[in-house]
Amino acid sequence: MADQKEIDIHGILKMLPHRYPFLLIDRVLDYELDTSLTAIKNVTVNEPFFQGHFPERPVFPGVLILEAIAQASAILASMSPEVDEDRNKNMIFLFAGIDNARFKRPVEPGDQLTINVNQTHYKRKIWKYSCEASVDGNRAAAADIIFTYRLV
């Protein structure tokens, strides 16, 4: 990705409908339209789910790693020229499928989750992304995400 493009939290808030405690992307580090995106999630012990998952040894829930991957994917899709006609309407991105999900290591408070999203397919408002979430260069999770959007 030749020209570095970042999106801060203010830009993310304009692109995603999620809010605390469910907004799981803190910053987009770089992207290339219709191709790829790299984002981060800073994992902090103050997040509410750590009280019960697990109090003695907090672990970031795997389903929330998948949600962070999906939110990063939705950011990339929301910038696609294919949504130009609907961009200023009330759009919501929805899962259509999760394939090949694998978890390789726990993610704990203090970790910075780096999410890499690569578009593998697009057809008629259906996107497919190959995604990986890592901590310090070590894969924490990977999945293929399929989703679409609807107007609400």
Side-chain angles (χ1 to χ4, degrees):
M1 293 181 234
D3 296 321
Q4 177 119 355
K5 301 171 208 96
E6 287 194 12
I7 303 171
D8 65 13
I9 191 63
H10 305 289
I12 291 168
L13 289 168
K14 291 176 184 174
M15 300 170 111
L16 294 179
H18 307 81
R19 295 297 179 261
Y20 179 84
F22 219 68
L23 180 61
L24 299 175
I25 301 298
D26 293 316
R27 177 176 293 277
V28 172
L29 300 177
D30 201 6
Y31 64 89
E32 186 174 333
L33 291 179
D34 292 329
T35 302
S36 62
L37 179 137
T38 300
I40 58 171
K41 161 66 178 147
N42 295 308
V43 180
T44 67
V45 75
N46 298 328
E47 297 180 75
F49 47 79
F50 282 134
Q51 294 176 17
H53 196 265
F54 303 95
E56 299 80 31
R57 180 72 186 222
V59 175
F60 192 69
V63 295
L64 293 182
I65 295 173
L66 291 176
E67 177 63 26
I69 286 171
Q71 288 180 21
S73 299
I75 291 170
L76 183 58
S78 74
M79 295 186 289
S80 176
E82 282 80 13
V83 300
D84 280 348
E85 66 187 52
D86 294 328
R87 184 166 282 114
N88 294 322
K89 300 174 185 172
N90 289 327
M91 292 187 326
I92 186 167
F93 286 90
L94 301 166
F95 275 123
I98 302 171
D99 296 326
N100 306 313
R102 297 289 182 265
F103 301 95
K104 301 295 185 182
R105 72 177 296 278
V107 176
E108 300 175 314
D111 287 343
Q112 185 176 72
L113 196 63
T114 301
I115 301 160
N116 291 300
V117 173
N118 292 294
Q119 184 172 318
T120 58
H121 187 75
Y122 171 79
K123 188 174 183 179
R124 289 185 249 164
K125 298 183 183 179
I126 304 286
W127 285 265
K128 185 170 184 179
Y129 291 106
S130 176
C131 308
E132 180 179 292
S134 61
V135 175
D136 297 327
N138 298 307
R139 181 184 285 189
D144 296 324
I145 302 292
I146 303 166
F147 65 94
T148 188
Y149 74 92
R150 299 281 185 262
L151 298 177
V152 293

